[in-house]
Amino acid sequence: MAEMKDVFGQQPHPVEDDLYKEPMRKRRKSDRDQRFRAFPSVEQSALKEYEKLESRTRRVLSNTYQKLIQSVFLDDSIPNGVKYLINRLLVLIEKPTVDPIYIGLFGSTGAGKSSLINAIIQQAMFLPVSGESICTSCIVQVSSGCCAQYEAKIHLLSDQEWREELKNLTKLLHRTEELGREEADAWNRDEAVEEATWKLQMIYGNGAESKNYEELLRAKPKRKIPTSRVITLKAEEAEELSIKLDPYIRTQRRDWDGEATEMHIWPLIKHVEVTLPKSDLIPEGVVLVDIPGTGDFNSKRDEMWKKTIDKCSVIWVISDIERVSGGRAHEDLLNESIKACQRGFCRDVALVVTKADKLHLPEYLRERKAGNQAIQSQREAVLERNEMIKLQRTRILKEKLKRKLPADFKVLEASDLVYTVSAQEYWQQALLTEEETEIPKLREYVRKRLLDKKRRTVTKYVTEAFGLLLLTDSFSSTQNLPNEHLHMSVLRRFAEEKVELLEKAIGHCFACMEQPLQEGVRTARTSYRCILRACLVRSKGNQGFHQTLKAVCLKNGIYASRTLARIDLNEALTQPIYDQIDPVFGSIFRTGKPTGSALMPHIDAFKHSLQEKMTEIGIRSGWKYDSCKKNFLIQEISAILGGLEDHILRRKRRVYESLTASVQSDLKLCYEEAAQITGKKACERMKDAIRRGVDRQVAEGMFERAQERMQHQFQQLKTGIVEKVKGSITTMLTLASSQGDGLYKELADVGSEYKEMEKLHRSLREVAENARLRKGMQEFLLRASPSKAGPPGTSL
């Protein structure tokens, strides 16, 4: 093999550099136990068993690795098969325990995201909160870890990233002519102008807004910027870190004239990572992410905003109880979250209704339908209202999800799609019990999510390790079975035939997109003028919109503000296409029963057919005397295709976003032309330039090109899948059949490690069964326990 790749399609560690690398040390037992403090005792027991399984597996792999290293240490050349094996061992030894679960709290200004995080982590004022105004000014990630102190890392824009934004900010503020009083007033009221002025003043001081780009490059910031572009804060107590962190992440009012130097670098902050010491409430491995609702004018921050949404496996759409029944901002948040299910890793979306204790009782009683049971207290009214909101919003959300996602998408089966929470009542409990605030319910959801992921990850890890030990143990045997090459040739031909069938099946899956794409393009062509008109019209006409529109053009059709709804002309123009393709796109990348359009079930069927053929050939050829070979092949094919699934998930974002990327690329010159327009009636002339540019591109086939580019992305994905499968299976079969071909040498005896690994693999079922028994007992005890009464003093 001239070039080896591991089963995940990645280059293995270079043997010359990393072959003799020392594997990472295992975690101390006391540290492992501390990680489970956030879990009840029943769940702790299950986690400790899975942790023990994983730890023992890593120890077996490490021992095997050391033995192999010692057996080849003095060799001038190492056979390719041994290189492959050693690299695979090292990759598994250093594989992370569990990839973090990112839970995105996605909401508009004043929705209560920070208050909710504070309640979940049991720190009342840890993140800044302030009613209806913007408080958290950037993406903030909160997690717990093994650190002894509270710690925050404030990541700043690089020098190049800030220069790019500075150039756009000065372009936005540049005037080429004197304006009349009315025009000047409109300019100053423009939201984009206010935002740009504020940012420059925060960094360079008053008057910075009147300077040009070159002058500001030479200007000295009000505060020294660290060359590392990272500011680290540490504290012994949560309150101490909160005080230190507050000036960096709290958005101050524009009329604020304080002297806190930390605030001067706010426009440079990209994101903040906060790590808590070992927590009794939030388990290690869970990251709560406070995500602003609209993105950011800075390209890097806006790109990070989207990537952060896409890497979240869970998204909680946060809306306070007075806004949940409507409004464009709420709908935009839901739509963006559903798109994350299509293009990202998100598998669960829920609506979290905050401030659920707020209710004006006389008004509620007047509007309440007659005939219901009489309300005896404010508490009863709140609970009844919250239950009604749950039922109503669950129905609406399910209908919305069904229109966009395949019918068997897992989120549609969720028992809880809507939560009604109250952070204020969680602390006060004057009206609601702790359980009725539903903060504990969210914590329980987080724990169950992590426990389930731990179970699946450890099961996969132990199974993959077992397959690798099977291979290692078989290398120690030099016995060649009769007709070995003949049987492997049969298996190779069978695999080649199945790969061809898989390629056709993938092509058939992707061909399902053709009709909805065509229908979407037809709809987009007939509706784009209405969509564009809606995007460019404001309720107050052009007043205060001139420079905002210029900002849209400077950023190639996108403007993200912390106070206005996000503007994305490219996305709006392609929305009719997405409306047509979303259900089919979701069906292609779903898991479940094999259907004509689902991709992963075809890959699973391919895997099972190969495994069945391996078993059949093994029985006929006498592999019953060499079960290691058969079991290795079966386990290895699972590892290969498991890695393939991760590759597909990473690539589907590029496929999904190819429509908007194509339209944005085609309209780039149009945006640049409009951004250069100044003078009288500039706003209307910019709109005309955009309309003409879009008309011209549509006439020249803009939507058809977008369709072709998406189909090209699907074709590239298909080619990549097939090439990875072919290459990995060829490598696997070569390894399995090459004993006696000079590729291997006699290795150290790893029989004891293999036997221990075999025991660990068998114990997976026992651990799972123990977990089920404990869960059943816990549920029985909960049903038998009396329910909690409401807090005292809650009657009318």
Side-chain angles (χ1 to χ4, degrees):
M1 293 175 291
E3 185 182 51
M4 292 187 304
K5 291 188 177 182
D6 66 23
V7 293
F8 301 106
Q10 301 170 334
Q11 284 294 124
H13 292 278
V15 174
E16 292 75 17
D17 298 329
D18 291 348
L19 191 60
Y20 304 110
K21 183 177 176 181
E22 184 72 21
M24 64 181 181
R25 295 178 179 177
K26 63 183 181 180
R27 190 191 296 263
R28 292 197 305 263
K29 184 178 185 297
S30 59
D31 289 341
R32 293 201 303 271
D33 292 344
Q34 289 292 322
R35 296 175 63 203
F36 307 137
R37 288 169 52 183
F39 292 88
S41 58
V42 170
E43 294 174 358
Q44 280 191 29
S45 299
L47 279 166
K48 286 178 182 178
E49 286 189 339
Y50 281 117
E51 188 84 356
K52 185 186 292 184
L53 261 180
E54 182 188 353
S55 176
R56 290 175 62 188
T57 298
R58 287 188 192 274
R59 187 182 64 203
V60 171
L61 292 173
S62 185
N63 290 342
T64 306
Y65 176 87
Q66 295 295 343
K67 281 189 174 182
L68 294 187
I69 288 295
Q70 290 171 9
S71 68
V72 299
F73 185 73
L74 297 177
D75 290 5
D76 294 330
S77 62
I78 303 173
N80 284 337
V82 179
K83 290 180 185 178
Y84 173 89
L85 182 60
I86 290 175
N87 282 322
R88 281 290 311 280
L89 282 166
L90 191 56
V91 167
L92 267 183
I93 291 167
E94 298 192 333
K95 196 171 186 178
T97 303
V98 175
D99 290 330
I101 295 176
Y102 289 90
I103 299 179
L105 284 77
F106 192 35
S108 300
T109 299
K113 301 185 297 296
S114 298
S115 296
L116 180 57
I117 290 178
N118 289 342
I120 291 174
I121 67 175
Q122 194 79 15
Q123 300 290 344
M125 298 297 291
F126 188 71
L127 296 180
V129 294
S130 180
E132 299 295 317
S133 63
I134 307 170
C135 262
T136 310
S137 59
C138 58
I139 293 172
V140 179
Q141 299 182 3
V142 180
S143 61
S144 67
C146 293
C147 55
Q149 294 178 302
Y150 292 84
E151 182 177 294
K153 289 187 176 181
I154 300 159
H155 299 265
L156 308 180
L157 294 172
S158 69
D159 187 58
Q160 182 179 352
E161 290 164 353
W162 173 243
R163 283 171 181 254
E164 178 195 338
E165 180 167 9
L166 187 61
K167 186 176 292 185
N168 284 322
L169 292 173
T170 51
K171 283 182 181 178
L172 204 57
L173 296 174
H174 179 59
R175 301 184 190 180
T176 57
E177 71 290 312
E178 288 295 322
L179 300 179
R181 180 174 180 179
E182 185 176 335
E183 289 176 315
D185 287 344
W187 173 289
N188 292 329
R189 284 194 300 272
D190 190 293
E191 200 277 342
V193 170
E194 291 182 358
E195 185 91 1
T197 300
W198 191 29
K199 285 183 176 181
L200 293 182
Q201 288 177 348
M202 292 306 298
I203 298 294
Y204 300 107
N206 292 332
E209 69 277 10
S210 62
K211 296 180 180 179
N212 61 36
Y213 174 65
E214 287 74 17
E215 288 173 326
L216 289 174
L217 282 181
R218 294 191 296 269
K220 185 178 180 180
K222 292 167 69 175
R223 180 187 167 173
K224 185 177 179 181
I225 310 301
T227 55
S228 66
R229 298 287 168 161
V230 177
I231 298 172
T232 301
L233 306 175
K234 293 185 179 182
E236 294 294 332
E237 300 294 335
E239 185 179 0
E240 182 187 353
L241 182 68
S242 178
I243 293 170
K244 290 181 178 180
L245 182 61
D246 189 282
Y248 291 99
I249 64 175
R250 181 189 290 274
T251 300
Q252 302 290 345
R253 298 188 308 273
R254 297 186 187 185
D255 59 353
W256 174 83
D257 58 357
E259 293 299 325
T261 56
E262 295 88 349
M263 190 55 209
H264 297 161
I265 66 166
W266 166 77
L268 295 176
I269 296 175
K270 188 186 294 186
H271 72 284
V272 175
E273 293 177 318
V274 179
T275 306
L276 314 176
K278 303 173 186 71
S279 171
D280 291 332
L281 299 169
I282 296 300
E284 183 181 346
V286 172
V287 183
L288 300 174
V289 191
D290 186 338
I291 307 175
T294 59
D296 196 274
F297 180 66
N298 176 270
S299 297
K300 290 298 178 182
R301 274 198 294 255
D302 197 58
E303 180 185 350
M304 185 175 183
W305 176 79
K306 270 205 168 185
K307 285 185 176 180
T308 300
I309 294 171
D310 288 348
K311 76 179 179 182
C312 291
S313 55
V314 178
I315 292 179
W316 292 340
V317 179
I318 313 297
S319 183
D320 76 52
I321 201 144
E322 294 179 345
R323 302 183 194 178
V324 72
S325 296
R328 177 185 166 185
H330 176 71
E331 288 301 308
D332 287 347
L333 292 170
L334 280 177
N335 290 332
E336 191 66 38
S337 302
I338 293 170
K339 283 185 177 180
C341 292
Q342 297 281 29
R343 68 177 185 238
F345 290 88
C346 182
R347 288 293 175 269
D348 203 349
V349 175
L351 175 61
V352 178
V353 183
T354 57
K355 307 175 187 178
D357 59 302
K358 292 172 67 174
L359 180 138
H360 187 248
L361 186 58
E363 183 179 332
Y364 177 75
L365 292 175
R366 185 178 68 247
E367 296 179 354
R368 186 171 175 261
K369 292 182 180 179
N372 292 343
Q373 183 179 353
I375 290 293
Q376 300 297 323
S377 66
Q378 176 93 4
R379 175 175 176 273
E380 288 182 8
V382 166
L383 292 174
E384 181 185 77
R385 188 274 317 272
N386 290 352
E387 192 60 33
M388 287 172 53
I389 284 179
K390 277 188 178 182
L391 293 172
Q392 293 168 357
R393 302 313 300 182
T394 295
R395 176 178 53 80
I396 293 169
L397 182 54
K398 269 196 175 179
E399 289 173 357
K400 194 174 187 69
L401 291 169
K402 283 178 180 177
R403 288 197 300 269
K404 295 287 186 178
L405 301 173
D408 61 352
F409 204 82
K410 203 168 184 180
V411 68
L412 294 172
E413 303 170 3
S415 57
D416 292 305
L417 276 176
V418 179
Y419 299 86
T420 51
V421 305
S422 171
Q424 180 171 309
E425 275 299 299
Y426 174 78
W427 299 111
Q428 297 178 355
Q429 295 184 34
L431 188 67
L432 303 175
T433 66
E434 183 176 304
E435 284 72 22
E436 287 165 349
T437 68
E438 300 206 347
I439 300 296
K441 197 173 184 180
L442 291 177
R443 288 187 189 134
E444 182 185 8
Y445 170 87
V446 170
R447 291 195 305 267
K448 286 183 176 178
R449 187 89 185 189
L450 185 65
L451 180 60
D452 181 62
K453 186 168 185 178
K454 183 71 174 179
R455 175 187 57 79
R456 288 184 284 109
T457 302
V458 172
T459 300
K460 182 178 178 182
Y461 185 76
V462 173
T463 302
E464 189 174 347
F466 179 52
L468 201 53
L469 263 292
L470 286 168
L471 175 61
T472 308
D473 191 54
S474 69
F475 280 0
S476 300
S477 171
T478 57
Q479 178 186 9
N480 285 317
L481 297 174
N483 301 318
E484 172 78 6
H485 288 291
L486 176 61
H487 294 308
M488 295 306 296
S489 296
V490 170
L491 186 56
R492 186 175 284 106
R493 285 196 301 272
F494 178 82
E496 289 170 354
E497 292 170 3
K498 287 296 179 181
V499 168
E500 289 180 5
L501 291 175
L502 176 63
E503 185 173 7
K504 290 178 182 178
I506 295 172
H508 177 71
C509 290
F510 293 167
C512 294
M513 288 293 297
E514 187 170 350
Q515 184 177 348
L517 272 170
Q518 290 173 349
E519 291 175 359
V521 166
R522 283 195 293 269
T523 305
R525 287 184 66 88
T526 58
S527 61
Y528 78 90
R529 285 195 177 97
C530 293
I531 293 170
L532 198 58
R533 190 181 307 118
C535 290
L536 297 179
V537 170
R538 288 294 175 267
S539 58
K540 297 181 180 179
N542 293 336
Q543 187 177 10
F545 187 55
H546 175 194
Q547 293 304 98
T548 298
L549 185 57
K550 184 172 184 177
V552 171
C553 296
L554 284 171
K555 306 302 290 185
N556 290 323
I558 301 172
Y559 177 63
S561 158
R562 294 172 306 117
T563 55
L564 294 179
R566 183 180 178 88
I567 301 172
D568 191 333
L569 298 184
N570 313 301
E571 195 171 274
L573 290 169
T574 53
Q575 191 56 49
I577 308 179
Y578 283 113
D579 288 341
Q580 291 291 333
I581 70 168
D582 273 350
V584 180
F585 190 93
S587 295
I588 288 173
F589 293 99
R590 71 183 175 186
T591 56
K593 295 179 181 179
T595 64
S597 61
L599 173 61
M600 290 312 302
H602 284 296
I603 293 175
D604 288 338
F606 168 75
K607 176 183 75 175
H608 294 313
S609 67
L610 275 186
Q611 290 174 334
E612 288 172 3
K613 189 67 174 179
M614 291 167 184
T615 301
E616 174 194 328
I617 291 178
I619 293 171
R620 283 191 326 204
S621 66
W623 282 358
K624 62 184 177 180
Y625 303 113
D626 188 10
S627 61
C628 289
K629 186 183 294 285
K630 179 193 72 176
N631 291 335
F632 157 70
L633 290 170
I634 290 174
Q635 298 293 347
E636 192 73 353
I637 193 65
S638 294
I640 289 169
L641 297 179
L644 185 63
E645 184 175 359
D646 293 337
H647 167 77
I648 292 169
L649 286 174
R650 287 193 298 270
R651 284 295 304 271
K652 76 170 183 174
R653 180 187 178 190
R654 188 183 303 175
V655 178
Y656 189 76
E657 293 185 337
S658 59
L659 293 175
T660 50
S662 176
V663 167
Q664 185 179 49
S665 175
D666 285 353
L667 293 177
K668 192 174 191 307
L669 292 177
C670 161
Y671 293 137
E672 289 176 354
E673 177 190 343
Q676 299 300 318
I677 294 174
T678 58
K680 291 185 177 181
K681 297 185 178 180
C683 189
E684 201 56 49
R685 287 160 53 211
M686 288 169 69
K687 291 180 181 179
D688 288 339
I690 294 171
R691 292 188 193 104
R692 288 195 307 271
V694 173
D695 282 339
R696 182 170 60 252
Q697 288 299 323
V698 170
E700 294 175 1
M702 178 176 76
F703 293 123
E704 289 78 6
R705 284 193 296 276
Q707 175 186 345
E708 290 171 3
R709 285 165 180 164
M710 176 171 268
Q711 289 174 323
H712 177 66
Q713 286 291 330
F714 272 114
Q715 179 61 39
Q716 284 190 320
L717 178 57
K718 183 183 83 169
T719 302
I721 291 171
V722 172
E723 287 179 353
K724 283 180 179 296
V725 170
K726 280 182 178 177
S728 298
I729 294 218
T730 298
T731 300
M732 177 191 71
L733 295 179
T734 301
L735 286 168
S737 63
S738 48
Q739 286 158 306
D741 290 346
L743 289 178
Y744 302 107
K745 58 164 284 175
E746 185 175 350
L747 298 174
D749 181 15
V750 294
S752 60
E753 284 77 13
Y754 167 70
K755 288 179 181 178
E756 185 175 356
M757 195 66 244
E758 191 175 30
K759 290 178 184 177
L760 292 173
H761 188 253
R762 283 200 305 266
S763 65
L764 274 175
R765 182 176 297 180
E766 180 183 343
V767 171
E769 184 61 31
N770 289 342
R772 282 192 293 271
L773 289 172
R774 291 192 194 97
K775 183 180 179 183
M777 181 61 70
Q778 182 186 40
E779 291 173 350
F780 171 78
L781 293 173
L782 285 173
R783 287 194 300 269
S785 64
S787 59
K788 291 187 178 181
T794 56
S795 60
L796 275 168

